[in-house]
Structures are given as structure tokens and as C-alpha cells.
Amino acid sequence: MSKPKDLIELSDLSEVVSDMSCLGLMRFLESPRAFNQQNGITGILLYDNQQFGQIIEGEHFSVMKTWKRIQEDTRHHRIELLEIREIPERSFADWLLRFYGGETLTRDYPAPAEIVGGMDKHSLALMSKMRESQL
């Protein structure tokens, strides 16, 4: 179990290099979920209008290892670090990588409902806040 002082949260924004289909998004999520499980990372990934907003959390070393991996991923670019901060506890402890990608995905593709969900009001507000910081 991580000591509270060892936990950090990292948030970032990025843009998809090319238009992604739903299947492309599901494939995009496979590798990070497995990596996160192996490295004790939890978090959320928001997707809207070809942009990702992400918050990951875990032990400092693991989060920084994940951040390096994110920066090297050629499927997205214009990667912008928003914040790194120490946290007393995880906000997304039960989610290896919860994905919010809009109502269309959950309506048209109900099978992966465990990891895909329509954005609730809080998540929409978070995405808006992330976008504003990009300006």
C-alpha cells in the first residue's frame, strides 16, 4: 500500500493524430489498461472532439513512468502537461482507466459498458476546465 506522501496525480491534454473510430478507441484503451494494472495506476480518460483529457494517479515513480509512455505514444500529439500534484488518497481507486467518450458510444456499443460511459455533468465540467487551460 502506498504511503500518502508517495501518491501523485497528473493531468494532461492531447489531440488524436487521426480520426478514431469506436473500434480504434477501444484498441487505444487496451494497452493502457493492462499497463496501468501492472503499474498500480488508476484514473480517467475523457475523449471529445478528437481531444483527450486525462487524470492519472498512483505512486510517483509509476505515474512518471506512465507520463513518459504517454509522451512517446504516436497516436496522439500536442501533449500538454496541466498539473502534477501530491494527493492524500486516490480519487479513482476502482478504475484502471475509466473512459468517458460521449453518449453515442455507450448507446451504439453497450458491450464495453464497464469501461465506457457517457459523460456526467462533473466530467463535462472537468473537460471544459481542461480545455480552458489550453487557451
Side-chain angles (χ1 to χ4, degrees), residues 10-16 28 44-56 67 70-71 73 76-84 119 123-135:
L10 182 148
S11 56
D12 68 86
L13 289 173
S14 65
E15 289 183 25
V16 178
F28 183 86
I44 61 170
L45 178 67
L46 308 167
Y47 176 75
D48 187 40
N49 196 29
Q50 305 300 317
Q51 293 185 321
F52 289 114
Q54 177 171 235
I55 299 172
I56 58 173
W67 174 236
I70 290 166
Q71 292 175 301
D73 190 330
H76 56 123
H77 64 145
R78 296 187 182 149
I79 301 166
E80 179 183 346
L81 177 64
L82 298 178
E83 180 180 30
I84 299 175
M119 283 191 191
S123 300
L124 285 170
L126 179 59
M127 180 60 108
S128 294
K129 185 176 179 180
M130 289 175 145
R131 281 192 176 145
E132 287 171 9
S133 71
Q134 204 176 18
L135 300 176

Side-chain angles (χ1 to χ4, degrees), residues 1-47:
M1 189 73 166
S2 300
K3 297 176 189 172
K5 68 179 170 85
D6 294 336
L7 289 176
I8 64 169
E9 176 185 279
L10 182 148
S11 56
D12 68 86
L13 289 173
S14 65
E15 289 183 25
V16 178
V17 171
S18 62
D19 198 11
M20 281 195 177
S21 65
C22 182
L23 182 57
L25 285 168
M26 294 301 103
R27 286 183 180 150
F28 183 86
L29 294 172
E30 285 177 21
S31 177
R33 286 178 53 80
F35 181 88
N36 288 358
Q37 186 170 24
Q38 292 172 355
N39 291 279
I41 299 294
T42 54
I44 61 170
L45 178 67
L46 308 167
Y47 176 75

Side-chain angles (χ1 to χ4, degrees), residues 58-76:
E59 292 181 4
H60 186 274
F61 176 80
S62 295
V63 170
M64 297 316 293
K65 179 178 174 182
T66 306
W67 174 236
K68 183 178 189 301
R69 189 171 188 260
I70 290 166
Q71 292 175 301
E72 293 171 350
D73 190 330
T74 58
R75 295 173 293 181
H76 56 123

